[in-house]
Amino acid sequence: MAAKPVIVYGASGYTGRLICEYLREYNVPFVAAGRDAAKIKASMRENVAGIETADYEIAEVGHDTKALAELFAGSAVVCNTVGPFSVYGPEVAEACLAAGTHYLDTTGEQDWMITCDEKYGADFAAAGLLLAPGIAQMYTTGEIAAELCLEKPGLDTLDIAVFWGGSPTIASTLTILVNAATSGAYRLEQNRYEAWDPEAGLYQLVLPGQHELALALPWGGTSHPVWYRNDPRVANVKVLGGVFNRALMNGVPQIVTAAVEATKDMNPDERYAALTATAAQVMNQMPPRENPRLNKSVDSVHASGPLGRAHCVIYGNSNYKQTGLMQAYAAYHLLQRPPRRVGFASGCQAFGHRELLGVLESFGLVREPTVTVER
């Protein structure tokens, strides 16, 4: 196979298809890769708008480091959407190192983020490669809002809320259950990881733009506490998130608690199989393509310090499309110039928060942020 500059691994999934769609819009050649070539071919044909005008190839590959490294050789960037990343991520990261390619993914799994930081970050940096997990709406759009607040010096505490309309995909449903059963959720307090209480249940938040209180969860802790742990500007980070659908939010803790209790005495392989079966019962079909009138997003960040306050709200739509676009733009950027930082880095650290904001605005996926700074 002739090498293409970008590999989309997990291209037949909901997010992978959107990355391919936006790579086409950026006129970037790519390989749509995964374990089942027939499934990928059908997914490209049926679900990726304008695919007939894209420069792409399909590759079937086994999920092991050697096979993946052979596929990645000669390419510049891998966009990985195959999760849970704590289960399937190591082979892909190690293959990227072996092949000399930049690594991007869409995760919010804190245990995988911490592994990337502590196990792989130094090796990627030494190789001059970017390791950027978590480039996705649920994490990066909120990070953009946080960075807009942090343009005011002297703010060291971030209180982040992220909400969206819609439902989790098949893959993200499984990830939620695996995270809950196998790892903790952490916030950042004085630059140290502190665990959220797993028994706390739902939190109620005042969400900008609505009168009704919103229901939220730590959602695995998300990426932000890991990204900011070594940032000298920031000492404290907490993140809560959820969907606008209150009935769905009310059901999440019960589903997670039941799954964790039912699998607590199983060995890892048995537990994963049982969680996969449970996830399939909860969500076993792809969500419909997003409708911006229904699939809205709100990212709200309160930043504070001893003598200062700032608040940023970013209203948007189509959170999965935001993710696909940012992944495609990151790959497009890396084909033309180096990232701002190599090794382990967030989207904003690698590409700049105002640059990513401009990309989202230019495609009509977010409006101009509302920023309030107390002087």
Side-chain angles (χ1 to χ4, degrees):
M1 175 182 295
K4 302 287 187 185
V6 177
I7 308 284
V8 181
Y9 184 49
S12 63
Y14 193 90
T15 305
R17 298 178 332 208
L18 290 168
I19 296 171
C20 293
E21 185 172 322
Y22 282 111
L23 286 171
R24 170 201 165 270
E25 296 204 18
Y26 278 113
N27 200 31
V28 172
F30 63 91
V31 174
R35 291 175 293 179
D36 187 334
K39 184 177 180 181
I40 298 169
K41 183 177 181 180
S43 185
M44 293 297 104
R45 183 180 63 248
E46 297 169 9
N47 301 110
V48 179
I51 193 62
E52 67 279 0
T53 63
D55 181 359
Y56 79 104
E57 296 179 19
I58 292 171
E60 184 172 285
V61 62
H63 189 82
D64 65 82
T65 300
K66 183 175 184 296
L68 290 167
E70 290 175 355
L71 174 65
F72 298 168
S75 297
V77 186
V78 171
C79 300
N80 181 23
T81 70
V82 178
F85 294 88
S86 59
V87 177
Y88 296 112
E91 293 87 349
V92 187
E94 290 163 13
C96 284
L97 270 175
T101 60
H102 299 293
Y103 174 96
L104 313 173
D105 77 28
T106 58
T107 190
E109 301 165 44
Q110 277 192 341
D111 54 346
W112 172 238
M113 297 285 296
I114 293 169
T115 296
C116 286
D117 183 16
E118 297 179 354
K119 182 175 181 179
Y120 299 118
D123 289 339
F124 270 81
L129 297 171
L130 175 64
L131 174 64
I135 297 181
Q137 181 275 329
M138 192 173 175
Y139 319 107
T140 307
T141 309
E143 185 194 10
I144 293 169
E147 288 295 322
L148 291 172
C149 290
L150 291 171
E151 289 180 355
K152 175 179 172 59
L155 308 182
D156 65 2
T157 298
L158 299 174
D159 182 354
I160 301 173
V162 53
F163 274 78
W164 65 98
S167 61
T169 62
I170 298 169
S172 59
T173 301
L174 175 58
T175 297
I176 291 167
L177 295 180
V178 170
N179 264 350
T182 62
S183 62
Y186 300 97
R187 59 189 182 274
L188 197 66
E189 292 190 6
Q190 294 303 311
N191 302 110
R192 295 187 301 271
Y193 293 130
E194 296 289 341
W196 288 91
D197 179 3
E199 307 298 327
L202 292 163
Y203 295 78
Q204 295 192 81
L205 297 187
V206 176
L207 193 65
Q210 66 180 51
H211 293 111
E212 185 179 38
L213 291 175
L215 300 179
L217 290 166
W219 225 260
T222 82
S223 306
H224 308 86
V226 186
W227 286 334
Y228 283 108
R229 185 173 67 92
N230 293 317
D231 189 321
R233 300 170 300 170
V234 177
N236 310 292
V237 181
K238 68 176 181 179
V239 189
L240 291 167
V243 297
F244 296 113
N245 185 326
R246 289 179 68 88
L248 179 57
M249 284 302 299
N250 275 314
V252 170
Q254 288 89 340
I255 294 169
V256 170
T257 299
V260 171
E261 180 64 24
T263 61
K264 66 180 181 180
D265 296 324
M266 296 180 180
N267 66 45
D269 290 341
E270 291 174 336
R271 175 187 290 168
Y272 186 76
L275 293 172
T276 300
T278 301
Q281 293 172 5
V282 176
M283 173 62 71
N284 60 7
Q285 59 185 1
M286 289 286 186
R289 188 174 177 85
E290 290 169 306
N291 180 338
R293 296 178 63 243
L294 302 175
N295 301 112
K296 303 173 185 177
S297 67
V298 177
D299 291 88
S300 175
V301 178
H302 286 283
S304 61
L307 298 174
R309 297 287 187 276
H311 182 212
C312 178
V313 184
I314 300 179
Y315 295 104
N317 66 75
S318 307
N319 55 294
Y320 286 105
K321 291 182 73 174
Q322 290 182 47
T323 298
L325 172 59
M326 287 189 286
Q327 285 278 322
Y329 172 77
Y332 173 71
H333 181 288
L334 288 167
L335 297 181
Q336 299 178 77
R337 63 176 59 179
R340 296 185 177 194
R341 181 185 300 184
V342 294
F344 178 77
S346 69
C348 291
Q349 291 163 352
F351 305 109
H353 63 285
R354 287 197 171 271
E355 286 76 4
L356 291 175
L357 173 63
V359 169
L360 291 171
E361 289 180 325
S362 70
F363 279 79
L365 296 177
V366 302
R367 58 162 290 168
E368 182 180 356
T370 302
V371 182
T372 306
V373 179
E374 297 182 18
R375 302 187 183 278

